[in-house]
């Protein structure tokens, strides 16, 4: 949904102003505007940035931070200096540890070379002994010299055993020598590592104390005049890092302080996109849930606001339509706007799972074998019993169930086919949004093929080879993927639009029946 027209005008002015900030060319940032009314009826707007801008909290013309600056200054400079001193202690200790670790690594490398050389010699010795034993066993004997030959073979075998034991003893002596050579270094490192651990624990404890003190400087009002600290709003959990520093809390705090009535709010990303993707210059996004959710739930108290949408309220009672059913499997066609499984709260209970439970009261197990996003339509597979459900899960994990989606994306895609391999994880501060993370993300692979092109859009067939949340949507939108958001995507699109739905549909589902072995293919063409 596009921002309010007044908020759009404010964003246009904001973007003209932020063009003067050079750092945004390489490090983009979220900004916000809040349209407000004064007591005399005059309309204007406030603007803010998330966190700091150019290394400072205060920029003329922008909302100041929420925290009590004077209270923070009474303890933070000294606390920051104390942490810097601890960091200096750690750095000095690391300077002592580094050469010892390098010396130990060099020693281990030399020892490895010695062990490898000795192993090669011992391997050659074993081959020689094996050849001698084999030759001895193959030598024919006569009755007259059986006793002498037997004694000779016994003596030879004993000598070979002695040589084998000698090699083993030599190996043990070398390992013991290596341990003896390593011990002085490892002993020093144990002492220094213990000392470092103690300093780290001291730093962690002091950081925790300072963080609690910082949190106490954040207090948020609402339209009813109720004041709550950030720790109270997130209790019993700990507030996440940066809670209270986003644009939305800053703007509401300033509006209440100046006795202004909030009318409309919008947040816009300005500057280069982050490495994780999901943000585009000039695109508007909702306030994050992780850092802002509890704060805004309180700060908006007492205001008359637009009601939140109740998803699924307009979905017909006979949805989802049945596509296939036998004694073990159910396939349905999920409409847009119906959750796959219940969300939090009674208003978000209506879902495919709840409706299937009502239709099939005798079904056991989790029922749904996979999920589709709320905004995605198409084929969903369910199992009527636990055994079948387990079989389907193993098939999904083995990637032997084929799924084909169809989607329209913004822009004209170059090339006709391709594969996207970008690891994904949830954005911990803004669930359910997913972000690209090459370090902590899980592997996500999507194959694509162009079906049709227009002057401004491309129709694609998408084949997810993994099943990550929002995989197709992120892979389409991310600049290292297609760089072309799916039309109607309210989470990952670059700009607001009036498209009534997300143009993404699970069109085809193919699998081998887990009980009969028959190959099944189901298809429900997209309506777009």
């Amino acid at each position: 949904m596009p921002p309010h027209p007044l908020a759009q005008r404010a964003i246009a002015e904001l973007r003209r102003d932020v063009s003067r900030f050079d750092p945004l060319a390489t490090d983009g940032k979220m900004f916000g505007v809040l349209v407000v009314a004064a007591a005399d009826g005059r309309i204007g707007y406030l603007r803010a940035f998330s966190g700091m801008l150019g290394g400072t909290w205060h920029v003329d013309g922008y909302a100041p931070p929420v925290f009590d600056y004077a209270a923070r200054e009474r303890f933070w400079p000294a606390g920051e200096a104390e942490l810097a001193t601890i960091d200096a202690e750690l750095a000095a200790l690391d300077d002592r540890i580094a050469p010892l670790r390098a010396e130990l690594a060099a020693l281990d490398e030399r020892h490895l070379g010695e062990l490898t050389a000795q192993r090669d010699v011992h391997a050659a010795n074993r081959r020689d002994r094996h050849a001698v034993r084999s030759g001895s066993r193959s030598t024919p004997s006569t009755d007259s010299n059986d006793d002498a030959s037997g004694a000779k073979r016994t003596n030879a075998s004993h000598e070979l055993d002695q040589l084998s034991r000698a090699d083993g003893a030599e190996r043990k002596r070398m390992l013991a020598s290596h341990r003896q050579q390593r011990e002085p270094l490892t002993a020093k490192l144990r002492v220094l590592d213990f000392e470092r651990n103690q300093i780290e624990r001291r730093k962690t404890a002091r950081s925790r104390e300072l963080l609690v003190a910082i949190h106490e400087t954040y207090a948020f009002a609402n339209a009813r005049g109720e004041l709550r600290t950030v720790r109270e709003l997130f209790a019993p959990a700990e507030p996440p890092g940066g809670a209270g520093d986003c644009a939305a809390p800053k703007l509401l705090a300033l509006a209440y302080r100046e006795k202004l009535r909030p009318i409309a709010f919008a947040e816009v990303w300005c500057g280069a996109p982050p490495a994780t993707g999901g943000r585009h210059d000039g695109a508007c996004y909702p306030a994050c849930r992780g850092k802002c959710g509890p704060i805004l739930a309180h700060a908006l108290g007492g205001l008359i606001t637009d009601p939140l949408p109740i998803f699924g309220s307009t979905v017909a009672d006979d949805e989802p339509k049945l596509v296939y059913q036998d004694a073990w499997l159910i396939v349905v066609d999920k409409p847009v706007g119906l959750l796959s499984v219940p969300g939090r709260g009674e208003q978000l209970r209506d879902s495919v799972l709840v409706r299937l439970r009502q239709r099939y009261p005798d079904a056991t197990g989790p029922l749904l074998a996979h999920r589709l996003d709320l905004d995605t339509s198409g084929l969903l597979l369910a199992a009527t019993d636990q055994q079948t459900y387990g079989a389907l899960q193993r098939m999904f994990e083995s990637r032997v169930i084929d799924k084909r989606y169809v989607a329209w994306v913004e822009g004209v895609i170059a090339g006709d086919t391709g594969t996207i391999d970008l690891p994904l994880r949830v954005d911990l501060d803004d669930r359910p949004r997913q972000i690209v993370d090459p370090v902590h993300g899980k592997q996500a692979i999507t194959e694509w093929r162009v079906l049709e092109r227009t002057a401004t859009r491309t129709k694609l067939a998408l084949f997810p080879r993994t099943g990550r949340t929002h995989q197709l949507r992120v892979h389409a939108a991310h600049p290292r993927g297609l760089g072309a958001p799916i039309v109607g995507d309210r989470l990952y699109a670059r700009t607001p639009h009036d498209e009534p739905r997300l143009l993404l549909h699970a069109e085809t589902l193919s699998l081998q029946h887990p009980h009969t072995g028959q190959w099944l293919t189901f298809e429900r063409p997209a309506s777009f």
Side-chain angles (χ1 to χ4, degrees):
M1 179 182 296
H4 189 281
L6 290 177
Q8 292 186 46
R9 288 179 57 185
I11 287 173
E13 291 189 16
L14 167 76
R15 284 180 53 74
R16 285 193 291 271
D17 184 71
V18 300
S19 62
R20 62 190 171 97
F21 299 118
D22 293 336
L24 296 179
T26 54
D27 296 303
K29 181 169 285 291
M30 193 70 78
F31 287 77
V33 295
L34 180 65
V35 180
V36 292
D40 59 6
R42 288 178 300 139
I43 302 294
Y45 75 94
L46 308 174
R47 56 193 183 188
F49 50 82
S50 178
M52 302 174 76
L53 182 61
T56 181
W57 292 104
H58 297 274
V59 175
D60 288 343
Y62 290 82
V66 175
F67 59 80
D68 184 332
Y69 193 79
R72 183 163 172 159
E73 285 298 294
R74 285 195 288 270
F75 68 86
W76 176 241
E80 191 174 29
E82 184 179 350
L83 293 178
T85 300
I86 296 176
D87 284 336
E89 292 180 41
L90 290 171
L93 204 56
D94 288 340
D95 288 341
R96 295 169 59 192
I97 291 173
L100 291 175
R101 292 205 186 283
E103 186 178 352
L104 184 61
L107 183 63
D108 286 341
E109 186 175 0
R110 178 165 64 82
H111 287 170
L112 178 62
E114 293 173 356
L115 288 169
T116 300
Q118 187 188 72
R119 185 181 64 236
D120 292 342
V121 171
H122 289 174
N125 291 344
R126 280 194 299 275
R127 289 193 295 271
D128 291 343
R129 291 193 296 272
H130 179 72
V132 171
R133 286 191 174 98
S134 297
S136 175
R137 285 193 295 269
S138 62
T139 302
S141 63
T142 62
D143 293 342
S144 60
N145 61 8
D146 275 352
D147 292 342
S149 297
K152 186 176 181 180
R153 284 195 298 271
T154 299
N155 290 335
S157 177
H158 178 70
E159 290 176 1
L160 292 173
D161 290 342
Q162 288 288 86
L163 291 173
S164 178
R165 284 192 288 272
D167 283 353
E170 186 179 29
R171 183 74 168 186
K172 290 179 180 178
R173 286 194 298 273
M174 178 173 283
L175 291 172
S177 174
H178 288 174
R179 285 194 296 271
Q180 188 175 12
Q181 293 173 46
R182 293 181 88 256
E183 178 56 29
L185 289 173
T186 56
K188 291 178 182 178
L189 284 171
R190 281 196 297 271
V191 172
L192 293 176
D193 285 341
F194 177 80
E195 184 178 347
R196 195 183 196 288
N197 181 261
Q198 293 297 102
I199 296 174
E200 283 281 11
R201 292 177 64 180
R202 177 158 55 91
K203 178 183 176 181
T204 299
R206 185 58 180 139
S207 297
R208 162 71 179 168
E209 293 171 356
L210 290 170
L211 184 60
V212 171
I214 287 173
H215 286 158
E216 293 302 321
T217 67
Y218 286 81
F220 297 91
N222 61 20
R224 292 189 288 264
E226 300 163 341
L227 200 65
R228 304 279 297 279
T229 68
V230 70
R231 296 190 69 81
E232 289 175 326
L233 293 174
F234 281 89
E238 285 290 310
D245 294 329
C246 294
K250 287 184 180 182
L251 290 167
L252 287 169
L254 179 58
Y256 292 138
R257 190 161 59 246
E258 299 298 327
K259 309 299 183 185
L260 301 171
R261 179 170 58 87
I263 295 176
F265 166 76
E267 285 193 346
V268 59
W269 183 267
C270 296
T276 53
R279 297 287 188 268
H280 303 278
D281 183 42
C284 292
Y285 299 93
C288 67
R289 297 186 183 185
K291 295 180 182 180
C292 295
I295 296 173
L296 296 183
H298 163 74
L300 293 173
L303 292 177
I304 299 175
T305 60
D306 291 337
L308 293 173
I310 302 174
F311 299 118
S313 59
T314 60
V315 176
D317 292 340
D318 61 348
E319 296 285 1
K321 296 290 196 305
L322 182 66
V323 175
Y324 174 84
Q325 178 184 349
D326 62 23
W328 305 279
L329 300 180
I330 301 168
V331 180
V332 296
D333 186 5
K334 187 189 89 68
V336 170
L338 183 63
L339 292 164
S340 291
V341 297
R344 293 183 179 180
E346 189 60 32
Q347 289 183 324
L348 299 180
R349 175 172 169 73
D350 190 21
S351 60
V352 173
L353 180 59
V354 169
R355 294 187 179 204
L356 290 185
R357 289 282 186 210
Q358 294 170 348
R359 290 186 197 176
Y360 305 98
D362 295 331
T364 60
L367 203 60
L368 275 187
H370 63 122
R371 303 179 186 182
L372 293 176
D373 296 341
L374 170 76
D375 296 337
T376 304
S377 59
L379 296 172
L380 266 178
L381 179 63
T384 61
D385 60 80
Q386 181 67 53
Q387 181 183 1
T388 305
Y389 173 83
L392 293 177
Q393 289 303 297
R394 290 189 292 274
M395 293 168 70
F396 274 115
E397 291 170 3
S398 302
R399 304 179 186 178
V400 295
I401 296 180
D402 293 331
K403 294 181 288 182
R404 167 187 151 125
Y405 290 70
V406 63
W408 280 98
V409 298
E410 299 284 1
V412 179
I413 302 299
D416 294 326
T417 62
T419 300
I420 303 166
D421 187 352
L422 292 175
L424 304 177
R425 68 166 175 85
V426 68
D427 185 341
L428 298 176
D429 294 325
D430 196 10
R431 298 174 186 269
R433 182 186 295 276
Q434 306 292 307
I435 58 177
V436 172
D437 186 340
V439 177
H440 303 291
K442 294 182 179 180
Q443 185 182 43
I445 300 173
T446 302
E447 296 175 5
W448 58 271
R449 184 174 74 246
V450 171
L451 300 176
E452 183 181 343
R453 290 184 177 91
T454 69
T456 58
R457 294 178 176 179
T458 305
K459 189 176 185 180
L460 300 174
L462 300 170
F463 306 90
R465 300 312 181 195
T466 51
R468 308 302 175 205
T469 301
H470 295 181
Q471 174 177 319
L472 301 181
R473 298 165 69 175
V474 178
H475 279 181
H478 197 277
R480 288 166 52 201
L482 292 173
I486 296 175
V487 175
D489 196 330
R490 52 188 178 147
L491 278 180
Y492 304 101
R494 292 192 181 95
T495 56
H497 46 72
D498 296 321
E499 193 69 44
R501 61 157 293 178
L502 177 72
L503 299 189
L504 176 64
H505 177 76
E507 188 174 61
T508 304
L509 184 68
S510 299
L511 71 154
Q512 186 176 30
H513 197 293
H515 292 282
T516 68
Q518 179 185 3
W519 186 257
L520 303 173
T521 296
F522 308 102
E523 184 171 2
R524 279 297 181 273
S527 61
F528 49 82

